[in-house]
């Protein structure tokens, strides 16, 4: 069973479904609402755990009702509890607005997630040392992510970094140290400062990271699939065609499932192909974690 450590955020999601979003000062009646579990770190952990990985999630949960629900959710999904830390602040929350077209807007308040500091990482070093791969995103402090990258280097453990959301200024010196860097096209533009309007642009922007020493760049391109670039080639691995109803959390489904297939021994291109299938199935249902298939459900698809 692959041993995967995911370090990052958890959020309680409050999702509103609406035909259109209100303009400033306007009130609009949405047509549905749901609450659920999210946060990029937690989402990636759930995806990997549902596929059967031995998952440690290092995250700080809020000191409130939402936090208690989060802890129960990890237990229900067989995620190890050693890294689930009780915070002193309220839970991180994500207000999500999904339009009928399937596009989404997400407003995140991190709260307890800001308590995941480098010293907490030091106190849980064994979770880094003993992992086959470490997954990071950008909903916790950058200093914490940098510290993890340094420790993982010390222990020779590969890191996969998803620079989402693209609201922090990433230091390229850290980016080039990870084994897999997985931006979407907007995040790639933010990191490189270059346009990413079409595939030629994306390759040009990606090439600057490869030239700077990055080993593998996986640009997630929604329904187009994933562009994989390394020191030798660039290859577009097409998405698995489905009718999407809600693409929220597709990037996390991709990251968690890629880590699982890769640590199970798949080659990088095979792991991308499997993860494309996993993420595609997740966009055929509403919600983030609730839409992530289990290993059994994947097997039933007979892909
Ligand atoms: P998010 O931040 O919403 O989690 P993202 O922008 O990081 O997502 P996307 O590129 O939208 O990630 O999606 C990740 C992967 O999910 C894609 O590379 C693809 O494999 C799959 N995917 C997303 N949307 C679709 C779709 N409409 N049809 C098929 N596959 C999809």
């Amino acid at each position: 069973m692959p041993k995967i450590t995911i370090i990052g955020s958890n959020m309680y999601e409050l999702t509103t479904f609406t035909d259109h979003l209100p303009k400033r000062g306007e009130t609009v009646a949405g047509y549905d609402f749901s609450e659920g579990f999210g946060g990029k770190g937690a989402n990636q952990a759930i995806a990997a755990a549902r596929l059967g990985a031995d998952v440690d999630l290092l995250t700080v949960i809020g000191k409130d009702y939402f936090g208690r629900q989060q802890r129960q959710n990890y237990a229900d999904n067989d995620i190890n509890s050693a890294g689930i830390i009780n915070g002193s602040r309220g839970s991180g929350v994500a207000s999500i607005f999904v339009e009928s077209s399937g596009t989404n807007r997400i407003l995140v308040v991190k709260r307890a997630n800001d308590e995941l500091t480098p010293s907490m990482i030091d106190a849980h070093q064994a979770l880094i040392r003993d992992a086959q791969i470490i997954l990071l995103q950008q909903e916790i402090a950058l200093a914490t992510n940098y510290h993890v990258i340094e420790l993982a280097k010390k222990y020779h453990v590969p890191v996969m970094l998803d620079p989402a959301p693209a609201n922090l200024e990433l230091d390229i010196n850290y980016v080039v140290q990870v084994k897999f860097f997985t931006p979407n096209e907007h995040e790639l533009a933010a990191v490189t400062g270059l346009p990413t309007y079409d595939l030629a642009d994306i390759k040009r922007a990606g090439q600057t990271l490869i030239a700077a020493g990055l080993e593998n760049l996986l640009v997630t391109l929604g329904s187009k699939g994933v562009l994989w670039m390394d020191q030798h080639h660039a290859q577009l691995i097409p998405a698995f065609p489905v009718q999407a109803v809600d693409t929220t959390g597709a990037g996390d489904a991709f990251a968690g499932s890629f880590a699982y297939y890769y640590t199970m021994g798949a080659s990088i291109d095979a792991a991308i192909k499997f993860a494309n299938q996993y993420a595609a199935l997740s966009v055929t249902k509403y919600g983030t974690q609730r839409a992530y298939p289990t290993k059994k459900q994947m097997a039933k698809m007979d892909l």
Side-chain angles (χ1 to χ4, degrees):
M1 214 200 273
K3 199 160 172 48
I4 299 174
T5 293
I6 294 154
I7 300 173
S9 61
N10 67 89
M11 302 281 171
Y12 203 78
E13 293 185 344
L14 304 163
T15 306
T16 301
F17 298 88
T18 179
D19 286 326
H20 69 276
L21 290 163
K23 294 190 186 66
R24 194 170 297 171
E26 187 190 16
T27 301
V28 162
Y31 60 82
D32 208 352
F33 175 82
S34 72
E35 48 188 295
F37 301 107
K40 290 186 175 296
N43 290 348
Q44 296 183 3
I46 295 286
R50 291 217 176 127
L51 282 167
D54 178 3
V55 175
D56 277 287
L57 171 64
L58 189 37
T59 197
V60 181
I61 54 174
K63 196 181 176 184
D64 51 24
Y65 166 80
F66 292 157
R68 290 190 292 278
Q69 298 294 103
Q70 296 282 13
R71 185 176 284 283
Q72 186 58 48
N73 180 44
Y74 304 137
D76 293 345
N77 282 280
D78 294 326
I79 289 174
N80 302 326
S81 60
I84 315 289
I85 301 161
N86 288 325
S88 61
R89 300 176 59 181
S91 288
V93 287
S95 299
I96 303 178
F97 301 92
V98 182
E99 292 178 82
S100 334
S101 59
T103 56
N104 60 64
R105 286 177 171 74
I106 305 175
L107 186 59
V108 160
V109 191
K110 294 198 272 185
R111 301 167 86 205
N113 292 291
D114 284 328
E115 295 183 64
L116 189 51
T117 54
S119 58
M120 271 190 190
I121 300 296
D122 283 338
H124 294 80
Q125 277 196 44
L127 299 184
I128 295 176
R129 186 195 58 212
D130 300 339
Q132 279 170 261
I133 192 166
I134 310 282
L135 269 57
L136 293 173
Q137 327 73 36
Q138 282 198 162
E139 279 180 339
I140 57 169
L142 268 184
T144 305
N145 273 358
Y146 293 161
H147 191 61
V148 172
I149 291 170
E150 280 163 1
L151 274 181
K153 193 173 179 186
K154 174 175 148 196
Y155 291 122
H156 307 289
V157 179
V159 173
M160 176 159 162
L161 171 61
D162 182 355
N167 53 4
L168 299 175
E169 262 194 34
L170 254 183
D171 182 341
I172 295 294
N173 293 318
Y174 284 97
V175 170
V176 298
Q177 290 182 46
V178 303
K179 183 160 181 93
F180 300 105
F181 184 58
T182 63
N184 65 19
E185 65 270 47
H186 309 295
E187 292 145 7
L188 179 64
V191 170
T192 60
L194 293 169
T196 54
Y197 296 117
D198 57 25
L199 199 57
D201 278 348
I202 293 169
K203 281 185 186 164
R204 259 192 300 275
Q207 191 51 44
T208 63
L209 297 179
I210 298 294
L214 176 65
E215 204 177 326
N216 292 285
L217 172 68
L218 276 53
V219 189
T220 63
L221 300 169
S223 59
K224 293 194 199 74
V226 170
L227 176 71
W228 170 34
M229 294 178 76
D230 65 9
Q231 297 292 333
H232 311 288
H233 86 317
Q235 179 185 357
L236 180 67
I237 302 180
F240 186 70
V242 289
Q243 193 69 44
V245 296
D246 178 7
T247 62
T248 324
D252 297 329
F254 177 84
S257 58
F258 174 86
Y260 169 77
Y261 292 115
Y262 178 72
T263 49
M264 282 290 283
S267 61
I268 294 174
D269 57 337
I272 293 173
K273 196 172 147 236
F274 289 136
N276 276 350
Q277 291 173 345
Y278 188 87
L281 290 189
S282 80
V283 305
T284 62
K285 288 196 182 147
Y286 287 106
T288 49
Q289 292 179 20
R290 77 179 67 209
Y292 292 175
T294 59
K295 195 181 188 127
K296 255 195 192 150
Q297 288 163 335
M298 283 296 282
K300 263 198 210 145
M301 292 301 296
D302 197 21
L303 299 164

